[in-house]
């Protein structure tokens, strides 16, 4: 690997699966790359345009190589990659550690080194590596180590996204595999219950994430509004813009990759504002990548604060109401290591209102709407 910063912070980009699943083609990818630039997403830090499952033929060629579906991608994958690169973006693709992908296309099992060389020859910068149709008696740990080694020796820097759904005790061995990402959950759906349940499932896993190896809570559904062509993903028909904002805030402060799943060619101005908020993105992209800790509220199952130490000495604070009723959440500064005797308080900058809230001593309390949040950047200040 030549890029010593590859995977240092959680990657940002777009993936085709959540909205389009099997209905992908060259025109879609080109138009998405165009939209990434024209919408301001590229300037906000989004880099990767990633094609998910269903891109290949159902059989390898006579030499055992993967072949792009000529009806979907008539000019081949290198031409698609070249177009994405011409926009100043990076190109990603998908494979699987099993004999077949989740949609039944050829997987990379026992073709890892051959496929890594193929991806490198096409100009691939990112590989999402799924976990379907894995031979029953093969350990996932070995299969992910195998592909990681192949990618690291293919002659090109390719970020490795290990999508094994949190199986095989992945938190215990993924750092040693060489992967830059590891999926720690099942698939997300475009509804509030899915967002809430995925976030809650990772509250005890945040310490396993760090620079160069990030806990992936799955792709974003921000702005989809029930727009998936897949019934599983689109069950219950989407979220409100407020719920999407809470979703984005959770993923950002929990250091998950920010991989957009909506159709960015037609996203609303509210969706664009959510996805490009520079203060929320800065929390996600802090170079120290420290996992947040939890400060429970009076109703720990519904209300909590997440506190993330930032590289500049400040704190990122997310206050979340995951419940169905409006409520007050009080954050005691003592719980963040600020005793009253120190004479120190916090100056709170509201990341969504994009203005300073004020200076507070000993605690801060907020009324938070159901499924809502407050996001702050807090600076330690002398109050007496």
């Amino acid at each position: 690997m030549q890029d010593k910063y590859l995977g240092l912070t959680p990657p940002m980009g777009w993936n085709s699966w959540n909205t389009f699943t099997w209905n992908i083609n060259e025109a879609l990818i080109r138009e998405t790359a165009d939209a990434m630039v024209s919408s301001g997403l590229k300037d906000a830090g989004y880099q990767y345009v990633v094609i998910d499952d269903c891109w290949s033929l159902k059989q390898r060629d006579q030499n055992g190589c993967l072949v792009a579906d000529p009806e979907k991608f008539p000019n081949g994958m290198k031409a698609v990659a070249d177009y994405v690169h011409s926009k100043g973006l990076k190109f990603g693709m998908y494979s699987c550690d099993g004999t077949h992908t989740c949609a039944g296309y050829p997987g990379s099992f026992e073709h890892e080194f051959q496929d890594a060389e193929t991806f490198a020859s096409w100009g691939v910068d990112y590989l999402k590596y799924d976990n379907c149709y894995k031979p029953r008696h093969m350990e996932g740990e070995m299969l992910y180590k195998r592909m990681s080694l192949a990618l690291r020796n293919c002659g090109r820097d390719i970020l490795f996204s290990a999508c094994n759904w949190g199986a095989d005790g992945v938190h215990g061995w993924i750092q040693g595999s060489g992967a830059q990402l590891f999926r720690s959950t099942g698939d997300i759906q475009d509804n509030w219950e899915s967002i809430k349940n995925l976030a809650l499932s990772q509250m005890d896993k945040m310490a396993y994430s760090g620079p160069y190896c990030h806990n992936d809570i799955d792709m974003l559904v921000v702005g989809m509004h029930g727009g998936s062509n897949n019934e599983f993903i689109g069950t219950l028909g989407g979220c409100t813009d407020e719920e999407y904002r809470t979703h984005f805030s959770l993923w950002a402060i929990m250091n998950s990759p920010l991989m957009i799943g909506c159709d960015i060619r037609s996203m609303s101005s509210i969706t664009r504002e959510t996805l490009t908020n520079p203060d929320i993105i800065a929390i996600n992209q802090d170079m120290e990548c420290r996992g947040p800790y939890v400060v429970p509220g009076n109703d720990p199952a519904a209300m909590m604060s997440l506190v993330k130490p930032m590289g500049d000495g400040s704190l990122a604070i997310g206050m979340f109401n995951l419940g169905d009723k409006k409520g007050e959440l009080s954050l005691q500064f003592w719980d963040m290591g600020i005793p009253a005797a120190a004479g120190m308080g916090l100056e709170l900058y509201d990341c969504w209102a994009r203005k300073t809230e004020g200076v507070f001593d000993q605690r801060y309390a907020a009324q938070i709407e159901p499924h809502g949040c407050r996001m702050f950047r807090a600076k330690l200040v002398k109050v007496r």
Side-chain angles (χ1 to χ4, degrees):
M1 293 174 61
Q2 299 299 312
D3 182 0
K4 64 181 180 180
Y5 298 112
L6 183 69
L8 173 61
T9 60
M12 299 170 60
W14 174 90
N15 180 288
S16 63
W17 184 256
N18 280 354
T19 292
F20 300 99
T21 59
W22 58 85
N23 190 22
I24 54 174
N25 56 56
E26 184 172 331
L28 169 66
I29 304 307
R30 288 174 177 260
E31 290 168 9
T32 298
D34 293 342
M36 188 85 82
V37 176
S38 64
S39 66
L41 289 170
K42 175 178 178 288
D43 289 340
Y46 294 89
Q47 290 184 297
Y48 293 95
V49 177
V50 181
I51 298 172
D52 211 282
D53 205 349
C54 307
W55 59 265
S56 75
L57 291 177
K58 287 293 184 79
Q59 299 292 331
R60 292 174 177 267
D61 69 13
Q62 60 185 5
N63 297 315
C65 293
L66 293 168
V67 180
D69 186 329
E71 292 189 8
K72 294 179 178 178
F73 300 95
N75 295 301
M77 281 303 176
K78 188 174 188 312
V80 178
D82 288 346
Y83 187 83
V84 171
H85 292 153
S86 76
K87 298 293 179 177
L89 300 167
K90 295 182 178 180
F91 178 61
M93 293 191 68
Y94 168 99
S95 189
C96 191
D97 69 356
T99 60
H100 293 80
T101 70
C102 298
Y105 293 81
S108 291
F109 179 69
E110 294 193 336
H111 289 270
E112 292 88 355
F113 288 84
Q114 180 180 28
D115 290 353
E117 291 179 1
T118 297
F119 296 142
S121 71
W122 288 344
V124 171
D125 304 297
Y126 178 117
L127 179 67
K128 177 182 173 181
Y129 202 53
D130 222 333
N131 197 37
C132 287
Y133 297 106
K134 181 184 73 175
R136 186 167 299 174
H137 300 294
M138 285 295 297
E139 293 184 0
E141 178 178 354
M142 180 54 65
L143 295 182
Y144 282 96
K145 286 178 177 176
R146 189 185 294 177
M147 179 53 88
S148 177
L149 190 61
L151 292 175
R152 287 170 174 268
N153 290 273
C154 71
R156 183 177 180 85
D157 287 331
I158 299 178
L159 189 144
F160 186 30
S161 173
C163 180
N164 88 323
W165 325 320
D168 301 313
V170 62
H171 300 90
W173 51 262
I174 193 64
Q175 284 274 357
S177 77
Q180 283 86 15
L181 307 178
F182 62 99
R183 263 283 292 284
S184 54
T185 69
D187 288 355
I188 196 169
Q189 295 174 284
D190 184 17
N191 62 71
W192 172 251
E193 284 301 308
S194 176
I195 292 167
K196 179 181 73 173
N197 291 336
L198 290 184
L200 288 174
S201 76
Q202 295 307 299
M203 291 298 167
D204 62 343
K205 301 292 194 303
M206 290 181 283
Y208 293 94
S209 185
Y212 298 106
C213 192
H214 307 283
N215 188 353
D216 181 358
I217 318 176
D218 204 6
M219 298 167 287
L220 297 166
V221 293
V222 174
M224 287 183 62
H225 293 292
S228 178
N229 66 4
N230 183 298
E231 290 184 1
F232 173 81
I233 297 170
T235 299
L236 304 183
C239 301
T240 66
D241 288 319
E242 178 71 13
E243 289 168 340
Y244 285 139
R245 190 165 74 171
T246 301
H247 166 35
F248 191 66
S249 300
L250 281 164
W251 265 231
I253 200 168
M254 293 173 76
N255 297 333
S256 183
L258 301 179
M259 299 298 291
I260 300 168
C262 72
D263 186 350
I264 63 174
R265 301 172 303 173
S266 58
M267 64 181 169
S268 69
S269 60
I270 294 176
T271 295
R272 183 183 299 107
E273 289 170 8
T274 297
L275 291 172
T276 59
N277 182 299
D279 298 313
I280 305 298
I281 290 172
I283 291 171
N284 180 258
Q285 293 293 299
D286 186 71
M287 288 184 67
E288 290 194 3
C289 301
R290 296 190 180 276
Y293 56 87
V294 181
V295 181
N298 290 334
D299 182 0
M303 303 191 76
M304 68 194 69
S305 296
L306 299 182
V307 182
K308 173 182 174 178
M310 302 290 283
D312 65 355
S314 67
L315 296 170
I317 300 173
M319 303 177 73
F320 298 96
N321 181 0
L322 306 182
D324 298 327
K325 296 180 180 179
K326 183 177 180 177
E328 180 175 283
L329 178 58
S330 176
L331 179 60
Q332 309 300 312
F333 294 174
W334 191 94
D335 290 326
M336 297 185 289
I338 308 172
M344 306 295 289
L346 292 176
E347 180 181 274
L348 298 182
Y349 172 84
D350 188 323
C351 296
W352 285 113
R354 308 213 52 208
K355 64 180 182 181
T356 298
E357 178 95 356
V359 175
F360 299 86
D361 182 14
Q362 298 191 50
R363 77 162 192 150
Y364 176 80
Q367 293 287 328
I368 304 179
E369 298 293 331
H371 309 175
C373 72
R374 302 290 302 278
M375 287 288 287
F376 298 104
R377 190 76 174 255
K379 181 170 67 174
L380 202 66
V381 295
K382 197 80 174 175
V383 293
R384 64 181 180 278

